[in-house]
Amino acid sequence: MTSRRTFIKTSILAGLSMSVLPDVLNAAEPWSKKKKHGWKHWVWINPKEGELESELAIRYKKYYEAGIRGIFFGKDNESHFRIAKSQGLETHRWLWTMNRGDKALLEMHPEWYAINRKGESCAEKPPYVNYYRWLCPSKEDVQQYILDDIESVLEKDYVDGIHLDYIRYCDIVLPVNLWKNYHIEQIRELPEYDYCYCETCRMKFKEQFGMNISEIEYPEASLSWRQFRYNSITNIVNNIAKVAKKRDKKITAAVFPTPEVARRNVRQDWINWNLTGVYPMIYHNFYKENIAWIGDAVKEGVRGINNKFPLYAGLHLPDFKGDAELREGIKYALNNGAGGVSLFGDVTDNVLSVLKEFVKYKNV
Ligand SMILES: [Zn+2]
């Protein structure tokens, strides 16, 4: 894994079919009461070009036999999607939502990008790393651009759902294990990482909360200002959910590990999103936590969503030292209410055989 990729997933932390959709909409029949079909596991992958179809079919069949029921594909690739479907897997397109570094977009619409508390735009001065180019979620043009993009993904018949990643603000606080990489100690919310203070956000905040953010002495301590930003991202997600529902497609998200960490670090209030499933990235090493913490994080998330939709624990395979640790991590997730796990990293035959041990596991 490259360092860039490592950072991407770290900072994500900090990044589905009609059978589940009605559960979101029907509070009388919570998801947990229907959990009779066993565990559903997932994987995040970037499909490679030019792989032999016969080899893909063998690989995806093995995934299915190990209990994997869906794949989040980081790119469109019709052949991967169709072969995965033919092996019984759900195919979801994994999409970067608010972090958009497309060169053309940067050149055409620099005014769409988020602005920090120092007045610096992500279009000109990205925080932490060059590819951190966050859009402002309050602007209507940005909202429409994202919806159009998602429509174009979901109209394809081989795509079962949309999987939202980077569906949040820039990290105001990075996971503690990363502080050393950037030589920063984020023991308070620093203005250069705090977004968005653009004119649209200021105006909408004033309209909705009756306050002028410029007149608030400590905006980082304003609860209303926090709520405004939770709502801005929730609004984007719930509008995407309407598009997905209209097309009978699923909508899921890769989110920060617990509702509390998600709100604090990236203003992500995922317990209030209209999803068909949520995939918190419970990557224990990034927070310098032990494996038991996976269970605590799952429990907090499951309590937060209150059976509106299932939660699948995102596990970062490089964080586990061997099969025994992975087995322990999966147990912590399943015993605390997860519907399965979602794996990021190299899904080897060893990993698949550990997963397979859980096919008949019922300890919940
Ligand atoms: Zn803004």
Side-chain angles (χ1 to χ4, degrees):
M1 189 183 292
T2 63
S3 58
R4 178 177 182 270
R5 193 62 224 163
T6 305
F7 180 81
I8 292 170
K9 289 312 292 185
T10 304
S11 53
I12 284 172
L13 262 179
L16 330 244
S17 108
M18 206 40 208
S19 60
V20 175
L21 194 57
D23 299 337
V24 179
L25 309 169
N26 186 354
E29 268 197 290
W31 172 81
S32 61
K33 295 233 170 79
K34 289 187 176 177
K35 203 168 62 177
K36 293 175 190 144
H37 49 277
W39 311 113
K40 286 175 82 170
H41 306 303
W42 306 77
V43 287
W44 284 285
I45 65 170
N46 273 308
K48 287 197 199 101
E49 300 291 335
E51 290 197 86
L52 282 178
E53 298 203 345
S54 54
E55 284 175 12
L56 288 179
I58 292 167
R59 187 186 311 154
Y60 293 150
K61 184 168 192 279
K62 280 201 295 192
Y63 281 14
Y64 188 88
E65 286 166 355
I68 292 167
R69 291 293 177 266
I71 299 181
F72 303 120
F73 287 105
K75 276 193 304 213
D76 189 8
N77 184 309
E78 187 170 349
S79 127
H80 275 260
F81 279 66
R82 292 208 187 275
I83 294 167
K85 278 175 86 67
S86 74
Q87 297 303 322
L89 300 168
E90 288 182 25
T91 53
H92 298 236
R93 178 69 197 285
W94 164 23
L95 197 80
W96 290 25
T97 317
M98 301 309 300
N99 181 16
R100 301 269 186 158
D102 321 49
K103 219 171 158 221
L105 190 67
L106 272 165
E107 280 168 11
M108 208 183 316
H109 289 296
E111 77 283 7
W112 285 4
Y113 285 81
I115 291 177
N116 67 20
R117 188 153 31 104
K118 288 173 89 176
E120 298 161 338
S121 165
C122 278
E124 286 123 35
K125 195 161 186 240
Y128 305 114
V129 280
N130 195 45
Y131 68 90
Y132 249 29
R133 308 283 185 161
W134 298 88
L135 295 172
C136 164
S138 297
K139 297 185 195 299
E140 282 171 22
D141 287 347
V142 168
Q143 295 164 1
Q144 194 57 50
Y145 171 80
I146 292 171
L147 285 179
D148 291 346
D149 190 30
I150 280 164
E151 288 264 17
S152 72
V153 170
L154 290 181
E155 72 186 8
K156 295 178 174 146
D157 68 336
Y158 53 86
V159 176
D160 291 325
I162 188 82
H163 183 64
L164 308 174
D165 197 354
Y166 288 91
I167 177 69
R168 57 182 181 87
Y169 284 85
C170 168
D171 316 62
I172 299 160
V173 176
L174 288 173
V176 63
N177 207 30
L178 285 184
W179 292 3
K180 61 181 185 302
N181 300 2
Y182 299 92
H183 311 290
I184 36 179
E185 289 180 359
Q186 291 179 317
I187 49 177
R188 65 188 180 88
E189 293 184 2
L190 301 167
E192 54 268 51
Y193 308 114
D194 186 14
Y195 294 83
C196 173
Y197 288 75
C198 79
E199 279 308 314
T200 314
C201 286
R202 289 168 187 272
M203 189 188 72
K204 289 197 170 174
F205 178 60
K206 182 139 201 244
E207 267 169 29
Q208 292 168 26
F209 288 82
M211 287 182 243
N212 188 339
I213 193 63
S214 317
E215 290 167 7
I216 295 178
E217 188 178 3
Y218 298 108
E220 66 271 42
S222 165
L223 302 180
S224 295
W225 182 229
R226 274 201 177 210
Q227 187 64 50
F228 171 80
R229 288 176 292 175
Y230 301 155
N231 295 353
S232 300
I233 297 292
T234 298
N235 175 50
I236 298 248
V237 174
N238 290 348
N239 282 332
I240 297 171
K242 285 180 198 152
V243 170
K245 185 178 169 232
K246 193 180 71 193
R247 292 185 174 273
D248 289 346
K249 303 257 170 145
K250 295 194 176 178
I251 169 172
T252 60
V255 296
F256 272 47
T258 71
E260 193 267 332
V261 174
R263 283 191 292 261
R264 173 162 48 88
N265 286 23
V266 295
R267 312 296 186 234
Q268 201 181 41
D269 188 22
W270 52 262
I271 63 170
N272 287 308
W273 295 356
N274 294 333
L275 301 173
T276 52
V278 73
Y279 299 72
M281 284 162 284
I282 307 175
Y283 298 172
H284 55 286
N285 274 4
F286 294 103
Y287 296 90
K288 300 191 175 190
E289 292 293 344
N290 57 29
I291 292 173
W293 175 75
I294 292 169
D296 295 336
V298 166
K299 198 187 291 177
E300 186 191 325
V302 167
R303 199 185 301 129
I305 51 183
N306 195 23
N307 290 324
K308 278 186 297 187
F309 44 79
L311 177 150
Y312 302 94
L315 304 180
H316 189 243
L317 291 173
D319 286 3
F320 296 91
K321 294 181 214 78
D323 295 352
E325 276 200 12
L326 178 60
R327 190 175 293 117
E328 202 187 344
I330 296 172
K331 271 189 191 169
Y332 274 116
L334 302 184
N335 289 347
N336 283 285
V341 295
S342 191
L343 304 176
F344 182 82
D346 192 7
V347 182
T348 60
D349 284 349
N350 252 15
V351 167
L352 291 174
S353 67
V354 173
L355 263 192
K356 210 166 179 177
E357 294 169 20
F358 289 91
V359 168
K360 294 198 169 138
Y361 185 76
K362 293 199 189 318
N363 187 19
V364 285

